[in-house]
């Protein structure tokens, strides 16, 4: 009863109404905030050339000119001379990785061949692994063999264990038996001793390809180095899943 009497005695004079112009300003401010948030969200969903992070303006222009010339079958020499060879070292590598990201494999190969001629160039097995992964995913296995040939002919190749392990996983995933065995031997040639991950990838990969003879030889090497082969059973499910995901 008390609440009803209070409600009845209340009048419009007791209600404080906000001025209309203040309410309008708040609505406009809220609308602008919503638009700003929406624009930021849309920007996050886009995947453009990453200017300011990985690619400079000059590198972006080089990518665009190379793609345009390649699309219209125009000679690339002019673009290389005017746009690419003037770039800094890190921009050249960024151009290569951007072309790989966009699956422009043949154009990326031409860029890589040009990079190899630079005085500052030092071979990295990890970069080869990245390129071979992209080329193999796109079914360019003849070019995978070309890249691997370049790798074998490199001077002063660093014993990069992580890079070699990544490369071995790529080759095993694509079922390239001969390259798997050759890469294993290449590791030892450059002074990069295989670790447990290397042996596990090579042995389990070859046995999955039913190459028992090759895997048997490498099993003997692993036994001599570690004394037992129990580590081959570790993470076997992960390796099998990786292998199955890359079946041709």
């Amino acid at each position: 009863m008390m609440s009803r009497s209070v409600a009845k005695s209340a009048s419009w004079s007791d209600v404080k109404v906000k001025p209309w112009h203040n309410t309008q300003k708040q609505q406009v401010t809220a609308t602008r905030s919503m638009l700003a948030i929406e624009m930021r969200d849309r920007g996050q969903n886009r995947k453009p050339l990453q200017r300011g992070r990985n690619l400079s303006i000059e590198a972006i222009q080089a990518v665009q000119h190379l793609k345009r010339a390649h699309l219209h079958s125009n000679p690339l020499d002019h673009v290389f001379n005017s746009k690419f060879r003037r770039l800094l070292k890190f921009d050249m590598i960024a151009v290569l990785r951007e072309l790989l990201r966009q699956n422009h494999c043949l154009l990326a190969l031409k860029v890589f061949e040009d990079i190899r001629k630079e005085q500052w160039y030092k071979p990295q097995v990890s970069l080869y692994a990245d390129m071979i992964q992209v080329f193999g995913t796109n079914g360019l296995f003849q070019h995978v063999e070309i890249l691997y040939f370049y790798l074998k002919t490199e001077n002063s190749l660093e014993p990069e264990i992580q890079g070699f392990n990544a490369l071995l996983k790529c080759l095993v995933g694509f079922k390239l038996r001969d390259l798997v065995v050759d890469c294993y031997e290449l590791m030892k040639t450059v002074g990069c001793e295989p670790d447990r991950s290397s042996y596990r990838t090579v042995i389990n990969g070859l046995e999955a390809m039913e190459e028992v003879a090759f895997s048997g030889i490498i099993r003997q090497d692993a036994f001599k180095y570690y004394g037992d082969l129990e580590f081959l059973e570790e993470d076997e499910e992960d390796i099998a899943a990786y292998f199955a995901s890359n079946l041709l």
Side-chain angles (χ1 to χ4, degrees):
M1 297 295 295
M2 182 67 67
S3 60
R4 291 183 179 179
S5 61
V6 172
K8 290 181 179 180
S9 62
S11 62
W12 286 108
S13 61
D14 298 324
V15 180
K16 295 182 179 179
V17 180
K18 297 180 180 180
W20 179 84
H21 62 277
N22 290 337
T23 303
Q24 186 184 38
K25 288 182 179 179
Q26 292 177 355
Q27 291 177 348
V28 171
T29 303
T31 302
R32 289 177 177 175
S33 299
M34 292 176 64
L35 288 173
I37 293 173
E38 183 178 358
M39 291 175 68
R40 284 197 298 268
D41 291 341
R42 288 180 179 177
Q44 291 175 355
N45 293 331
R46 295 175 182 172
K47 293 183 178 179
L49 297 179
Q50 300 179 5
R51 183 174 63 182
R53 297 178 62 185
N54 294 332
L55 291 175
S56 64
I57 295 176
E58 293 79 8
I60 292 174
Q61 292 176 347
V63 170
Q64 293 172 342
H65 281 81
L66 286 169
K67 288 169 56 179
R68 190 178 299 116
H70 185 69
L71 177 65
H72 297 288
S73 300
N74 295 331
L76 294 174
D77 291 341
H78 175 70
V79 179
F80 272 100
N81 289 326
S82 61
K83 297 295 181 181
F84 182 73
R85 295 189 180 114
R86 296 182 179 183
L87 296 176
L88 299 175
K89 167 186 175 180
F90 296 105
D91 285 336
M92 287 186 174
I93 298 297
V95 168
L96 172 61
R97 290 195 176 278
E98 180 62 25
L99 291 172
L100 290 171
R101 188 184 71 85
Q102 297 183 25
N103 292 318
H104 288 287
C105 297
L106 300 182
L107 192 54
L109 180 60
K110 293 181 181 297
V111 168
F112 178 64
E113 290 173 341
D114 205 75
I115 288 177
R116 293 182 74 220
K117 300 175 184 177
E118 295 290 331
Q119 292 183 350
W120 51 260
Y121 170 75
K122 292 183 179 179
Q124 292 182 329
V125 182
S126 56
L127 178 58
Y128 272 99
D130 292 341
M131 289 190 293
I132 287 176
Q133 178 65 48
V134 174
F135 277 59
T137 301
N138 285 272
L140 301 174
F141 293 105
Q142 290 184 346
H143 294 82
V144 167
E145 293 182 356
I146 292 175
L147 283 171
Y148 187 80
F149 173 78
Y150 288 163
L151 175 63
K152 288 194 65 175
T153 58
E154 293 284 14
N155 296 322
S156 64
L157 196 62
E158 295 291 332
E160 185 185 350
I161 185 63
Q162 293 182 348
F164 271 110
N165 284 342
L167 179 56
L168 285 171
K169 288 182 179 180
C170 290
L171 300 176
V172 166
F174 295 128
K175 300 169 60 176
L176 301 175
R177 179 203 65 185
D178 294 341
L179 295 187
V180 171
V181 177
D182 196 275
C183 184
Y184 168 74
E185 295 295 336
L186 179 62
M187 289 181 67
K188 297 189 296 182
T189 300
V190 300
C192 184
E193 289 296 332
D195 60 6
R196 283 183 170 85
S197 178
S198 310
Y199 283 117
R200 191 162 49 234
T201 299
V202 174
I203 293 173
N204 292 341
L206 289 174
E207 291 179 354
M209 289 183 262
E210 299 182 352
E211 297 291 344
V212 181
F214 287 111
S215 66
I217 296 173
I218 300 175
R219 273 179 174 271
Q220 293 177 3
D221 293 344
F223 185 80
K224 291 177 182 178
Y225 196 83
Y226 287 105
D228 64 74
L229 300 179
E230 293 181 359
F231 67 90
L232 293 178
E233 306 300 327
E234 300 174 2
D235 300 327
E236 187 172 344
E237 294 181 358
D238 294 339
I239 295 173
Y242 182 90
F243 183 81
S245 66
N246 287 276
L247 288 177
L248 301 180

